[in-house]
Amino acid sequence: LMAVLNPGVESVMIDGALYQDEVSARQIMAVPTVMLNGEPFGQGRMTIEEILAKVDTGASARDAEKLNAKDAYDVLVVGGGPAGSAAAIYAARKGIRTGVVAERFGGQVLDTLSIENLISVPHTEGPKLAMALEQHVKEYEVDIMNLQRAEALIPAGDDGLAQVKLANGATLRAKSVILATGARWREMNVPGEKDYKGKGVCFCPHCDGPLFKGKRVAVIGGGNSGVEAAIDLAGIVSHVTLLEFDSKLRADAVLQAKLGSLPNVTIVTSALTTEVTGDGEKVNGIVYQDRISGENRHVELEGIFVQIGLLPNTDWLKGTLKLSPRGEIEIDARGQTSLPGVFAAGDATTTPYKQIIIAMGDGAKASLSAFDHLIRSPAPVPAATIVD
Ligand code: FAD
């Protein structure tokens, strides 16, 4: 993108699956990795806005000033994934003042490769769908504030306006708020995991699997996503060790049968992962405790794919509204949270089955509920009434 927009910028792209020697020389263990003038600059998919925000160091303070000056919204959506996008479109179509504030517009869809279960769209790809979401939202008068992280929600006071405080210090105000902050990969929280993230510890088998061609990997987690990942990786890597904490796998029987038929997969149950080991540069193994014998075992390998579920992005809401024991925002059938005027949708909530189509439907529902709330809220008293 930078090279297309600025002829002074030169860009070289390397396909790691085709040029494995380049991958080893640069010690790349996750893609995409972006180097700037030979130094690591970023990892994961980045938009032009993200790149600019990183190179322009004064941007945050300038943004805060602009955001603080904004008028209150009728509906402020926090989150720009499928749920947030649907909520914004439904709100804007009612002709009310709508804003979307998102840390990364597109959400998890940006990290997804192939999508084949979005009804009426037989096949699409994550980044393509993310772009379509943004284009659809931009068809309407929606104020999109991308690359902004919400850090606190302050319920409405006497003025009827809730406040959303952002990481850059700005505060946005709104008559109703829709929370659609989605979820992120759950981590193991063991020593070594953080140190070797992107250096052998991965979360997306579709993205990073090909980098481990012919190598040994472990998959952590024996639920559907773990077993699917192990089946997928077994076709690329030399050997997969699947580690499951429980005494049995939790994946669907058909997936377990497929996994059991693969010659290069070892399944270990009752295994508590305790450490990721490495040589200082990259992963060289994993340690687990056999929960039956209590013995610690070290497996030598080059890659670890963590597939132990999703965590809702709701840490910033703790103590403000009702969360389930799993940290999901509790909502009723209309998307109403425990706070009046605050609604929620998608993966961040107690709604079962975390899927794109469900998140979109939830977003639309929460938005209609927010509109219903607004039309039933008492109209503000005029500042002054002149009587002849
Ligand atoms: P998200 O997509 O997680 O979006 C959350 C949004 O909130 C983002 O914009 C994020 O930046 C923003 N945000 C988070 N915290 C804050 C904050 N504090 N302040 C401001 N913004 C914030 N589903 C399918 O239906 N089909 C599939 O094939 C499929 N494949 C998948 C593959 C992968 C690898 C993954 C990870 C998920 C997949 N899913 C699939 C699930 C699907 O992506 C999710 O169910 C869906 O994206 C949820 O939408 P959402 O809007 O609730 O949350």
Coordinates of all heavy atoms in Angstrom, one line a residue, residues 78-84 101-109 111-112 114-115 117 148-150 180-183 185 313 316 345-347 354-357 359, ligand 1:
V78 N -19.3 0.6 19.8 CA -17.9 0.3 20.1 C -17.6 -1.1 19.5 O -18.1 -2.1 20.0 CB -17.7 0.3 21.6 CG1 -16.2 0.2 21.9 CG2 -18.3 1.6 22.3
G79 N -16.7 -1.1 18.5 CA -16.4 -2.3 17.8 C -16.8 -2.2 16.4 O -17.9 -1.8 16.0
G80 N -15.8 -2.6 15.5 CA -16.1 -2.5 14.0 C -16.0 -3.9 13.3 O -15.6 -3.9 12.2
G81 N -16.4 -5.0 14.0 CA -16.5 -6.3 13.3 C -17.9 -6.4 12.7 O -18.6 -5.5 12.5
P82 N -18.2 -7.7 12.4 CA -19.6 -7.9 11.8 C -20.7 -7.4 12.6 O -21.7 -6.8 12.1 CB -19.7 -9.4 11.7 CG -18.2 -9.9 11.6 CD -17.4 -8.9 12.5
A83 N -20.6 -7.5 14.0 CA -21.7 -7.1 14.8 C -21.8 -5.5 14.8 O -22.9 -5.0 14.7 CB -21.5 -7.6 16.3
G84 N -20.6 -4.9 15.0 CA -20.6 -3.4 15.1 C -21.0 -2.8 13.7 O -21.7 -1.8 13.7
V101 N -16.6 3.4 16.9 CA -15.3 3.6 17.4 C -14.7 2.1 17.5 O -15.3 1.3 18.1 CB -15.2 4.4 18.7 CG1 -15.9 3.7 19.8 CG2 -13.7 4.6 19.1
A102 N -13.6 1.9 16.8 CA -13.1 0.5 16.7 C -11.5 0.5 16.8 O -10.9 1.4 16.2 CB -13.5 -0.1 15.4
E103 N -11.0 -0.4 17.5 CA -9.6 -0.6 17.6 C -9.0 -1.0 16.2 O -8.0 -0.5 15.8 CB -9.2 -1.6 18.7 CG -7.8 -1.6 19.1 CD -7.5 -2.4 20.3 OE1 -8.5 -3.1 20.8 OE2 -6.4 -2.4 20.7
R104 N -9.8 -1.9 15.6 CA -9.3 -2.4 14.3 C -10.6 -2.8 13.5 O -11.2 -3.8 13.7 CB -8.5 -3.7 14.6 CG -7.8 -4.3 13.4 CD -6.8 -5.3 14.0 NE -6.3 -6.2 13.0 CZ -6.6 -7.5 12.9 NH1 -7.3 -8.1 13.9 NH2 -6.0 -8.2 12.0
F105 N -11.0 -1.9 12.6 CA -12.2 -2.1 11.8 C -12.1 -3.4 11.0 O -11.1 -3.6 10.3 CB -12.5 -0.9 10.9 CG -13.9 -0.9 10.5 CD1 -14.8 -0.1 11.2 CD2 -14.4 -1.7 9.5 CE1 -16.2 -0.1 10.8 CE2 -15.7 -1.7 9.2 CZ -16.6 -0.9 9.8
G106 N -13.1 -4.2 11.1 CA -13.1 -5.6 10.4 C -13.1 -6.7 11.5 O -13.7 -7.7 11.3
G107 N -12.4 -6.5 12.6 CA -12.4 -7.5 13.7 C -11.7 -8.8 13.3 O -10.8 -8.8 12.4
Q108 N -12.2 -9.8 13.9 CA -11.6 -11.2 13.6 C -11.6 -11.6 12.2 O -10.8 -12.4 11.7 CB -12.4 -12.2 14.4 CG -12.2 -12.2 15.9 CD -13.2 -13.1 16.6 OE1 -13.1 -14.3 16.5 NE2 -14.1 -12.5 17.3
V109 N -12.6 -11.0 11.4 CA -12.7 -11.4 10.0 C -11.4 -11.1 9.3 O -11.0 -11.9 8.4 CB -13.9 -10.6 9.4 CG1 -13.9 -10.6 7.9 CG2 -15.2 -11.1 10.0
D111 N -8.6 -11.8 10.2 CA -7.6 -12.9 10.5 C -8.1 -14.2 9.9 O -7.6 -15.3 10.2 CB -7.4 -13.1 12.0 CG -6.9 -11.8 12.6 OD1 -6.1 -11.1 12.0 OD2 -7.3 -11.5 13.8
T112 N -9.2 -14.1 9.1 CA -9.8 -15.4 8.6 C -9.5 -15.5 7.2 O -9.5 -14.6 6.4 CB -11.4 -15.2 8.8 OG1 -11.6 -14.9 10.2 CG2 -12.1 -16.5 8.5
S114 N -10.7 -18.4 4.6 CA -11.9 -18.7 3.7 C -13.2 -18.7 4.6 O -13.2 -19.3 5.6 CB -11.6 -20.1 3.1 OG -12.7 -20.7 2.7
I115 N -14.2 -18.1 4.0 CA -15.5 -18.1 4.8 C -16.5 -18.7 3.8 O -16.7 -18.2 2.7 CB -15.9 -16.7 5.2 CG1 -14.8 -16.1 6.2 CG2 -17.3 -16.6 5.8 CD1 -14.9 -14.7 6.4
N117 N -19.7 -20.0 5.1 CA -21.0 -20.2 5.8 C -21.7 -18.9 6.1 O -22.6 -18.8 7.0 CB -20.8 -21.0 7.1 CG -19.8 -20.3 8.0 OD1 -19.3 -19.2 7.7 ND2 -19.5 -20.9 9.2
Q148 N -9.0 3.3 17.4 CA -9.2 3.9 18.7 C -9.7 2.9 19.7 O -10.7 2.2 19.4 CB -10.3 5.0 18.6 CG -9.9 6.1 17.6 CD -8.7 7.0 18.0 OE1 -8.3 6.9 19.2 NE2 -8.1 7.7 17.1
R149 N -9.0 2.8 20.8 CA -9.4 1.7 21.8 C -10.2 2.4 23.0 O -9.8 3.4 23.5 CB -8.2 1.0 22.4 CG -8.5 -0.1 23.3 CD -7.3 -1.1 23.3 NE -6.1 -0.4 23.6 CZ -5.7 -0.1 24.9 NH1 -6.3 -0.6 25.9 NH2 -4.5 0.5 25.1
A150 N -11.4 1.8 23.2 CA -12.2 2.3 24.4 C -11.6 1.7 25.6 O -11.3 0.5 25.7 CB -13.6 1.8 24.2
A180 N -19.8 -3.9 20.9 CA -19.6 -5.1 20.0 C -18.1 -5.3 19.9 O -17.6 -5.3 18.8 CB -20.3 -4.7 18.7
T181 N -17.5 -5.5 21.0 CA -16.0 -5.6 21.0 C -15.4 -7.0 20.8 O -14.2 -7.2 20.8 CB -15.4 -5.0 22.3 OG1 -16.2 -5.6 23.4 CG2 -15.5 -3.5 22.4
G182 N -16.3 -8.0 20.5 CA -15.8 -9.3 20.0 C -14.9 -10.0 21.0 O -15.1 -9.9 22.2
A183 N -14.1 -10.8 20.4 CA -13.2 -11.7 21.2 C -11.9 -11.9 20.6 O -11.6 -11.4 19.5 CB -13.9 -13.1 21.3
W185 N -8.1 -14.6 20.7 CA -7.6 -16.0 21.0 C -7.3 -16.1 22.5 O -6.6 -15.1 23.1 CB -6.4 -16.3 20.2 CG -6.5 -16.3 18.8 CD1 -6.0 -15.4 17.9 CD2 -7.2 -17.3 18.0 NE1 -6.4 -15.8 16.6 CE2 -7.1 -16.9 16.6 CE3 -7.9 -18.5 18.3 CZ2 -7.7 -17.7 15.6 CZ3 -8.5 -19.2 17.3 CH2 -8.4 -18.8 16.0
N313 N -13.6 -9.5 24.6 CA -12.8 -8.3 24.9 C -13.6 -7.4 25.8 O -14.2 -6.4 25.3 CB -12.5 -7.6 23.5 CG -11.6 -8.4 22.7 OD1 -10.7 -9.0 23.1 ND2 -11.9 -8.4 21.4
W316 N -12.3 -4.1 29.9 CA -12.5 -2.7 30.2 C -13.9 -2.4 30.8 O -14.1 -1.3 31.2 CB -12.2 -1.9 28.9 CG -13.2 -2.2 27.8 CD1 -13.3 -3.3 27.1 CD2 -14.2 -1.3 27.3 NE1 -14.3 -3.2 26.1 CE2 -14.9 -2.0 26.3 CE3 -14.6 0.0 27.7 CZ2 -15.9 -1.4 25.6 CZ3 -15.7 0.5 27.0 CH2 -16.3 -0.2 25.9
A345 N -23.8 -6.8 21.4 CA -24.0 -7.8 20.3 C -22.7 -8.5 20.0 O -21.6 -8.0 20.2 CB -24.5 -7.0 19.0
G346 N -22.9 -9.8 19.4 CA -21.7 -10.5 18.9 C -20.9 -11.3 19.9 O -21.4 -11.6 21.0
D347 N -19.7 -11.6 19.5 CA -18.9 -12.5 20.3 C -18.6 -12.1 21.7 O -18.1 -12.9 22.6 CB -17.5 -12.7 19.6 CG -17.6 -13.7 18.4 OD1 -18.7 -14.0 18.0 OD2 -16.5 -14.1 18.0
K354 N -20.5 -18.5 18.3 CA -19.8 -17.3 17.8 C -19.5 -17.4 16.3 O -18.5 -18.0 15.9 CB -18.5 -17.1 18.6 CG -18.6 -17.2 20.1 CD -19.7 -16.3 20.8 CE -19.5 -16.3 22.3 NZ -20.7 -16.1 23.0
Q355 N -20.4 -16.8 15.5 CA -20.3 -16.9 14.1 C -20.6 -15.5 13.5 O -21.3 -14.7 14.1 CB -21.3 -17.9 13.6 CG -20.9 -19.3 13.9 CD -19.8 -19.8 13.0 OE1 -19.9 -20.2 11.9 NE2 -18.6 -19.9 13.6
I356 N -20.1 -15.3 12.2 CA -20.3 -14.0 11.6 C -21.8 -13.7 11.4 O -22.2 -12.6 11.8 CB -19.6 -14.0 10.2 CG1 -18.1 -14.2 10.4 CG2 -19.9 -12.8 9.4 CD1 -17.3 -14.6 9.1
I357 N -22.5 -14.6 10.9 CA -23.9 -14.4 10.6 C -24.7 -14.1 11.9 O -25.6 -13.3 11.9 CB -24.5 -15.5 9.8 CG1 -25.8 -15.0 9.1 CG2 -24.7 -16.8 10.6 CD1 -26.2 -15.8 7.9
A359 N -23.3 -12.8 14.7 CA -22.9 -11.5 15.1 C -23.6 -10.4 14.3 O -24.0 -9.4 14.9 CB -21.4 -11.3 15.0
Ligands
FAD1 P1 -15.0 -9.2 16.2 O1 -15.0 -9.7 14.8 O2 -14.1 -9.7 17.2 O3 -14.9 -7.6 16.2 C1 -14.7 -6.9 17.4 C2 -14.4 -5.4 17.1 O4 -14.3 -4.7 18.3 C3 -13.1 -5.1 16.3 O5 -13.2 -4.1 15.4 C4 -12.1 -4.8 17.4 O6 -11.0 -4.1 17.0 C5 -13.0 -4.0 18.3 N1 -12.6 -3.8 19.7 C6 -12.3 -4.7 20.6 N2 -12.0 -4.2 21.8 C7 -12.2 -2.9 21.6 C8 -12.0 -1.7 22.5 N3 -11.7 -1.8 23.8 N4 -12.3 -0.5 21.9 C9 -12.6 -0.3 20.6 N5 -12.8 -1.4 19.8 C10 -12.5 -2.6 20.3 N6 -17.2 -17.2 11.7 C11 -18.0 -17.7 10.7 O7 -19.2 -17.5 10.7 N7 -17.4 -18.4 9.6 C12 -16.1 -18.7 9.6 O8 -15.6 -19.3 8.6 C13 -15.2 -18.2 10.6 N8 -13.9 -18.4 10.6 C14 -13.1 -17.8 11.6 C15 -11.7 -18.0 11.5 C16 -10.9 -17.4 12.5 C17 -9.4 -17.6 12.4 C18 -11.5 -16.6 13.5 C19 -10.6 -16.0 14.6 C20 -12.9 -16.5 13.6 C21 -13.7 -17.1 12.7 N9 -15.1 -17.0 12.7 C22 -15.9 -17.5 11.7 C23 -15.8 -16.3 13.8 C24 -16.1 -14.8 13.5 O9 -15.0 -14.2 12.9 C25 -16.7 -14.1 14.7 O10 -17.8 -14.8 15.2 C26 -17.1 -12.7 14.3 O11 -16.1 -11.9 13.7 C27 -17.6 -11.9 15.5 O12 -17.9 -10.7 15.2 P2 -18.0 -9.5 16.3 O13 -18.3 -8.2 15.6 O14 -18.8 -9.9 17.5 O15 -16.5 -9.4 16.9

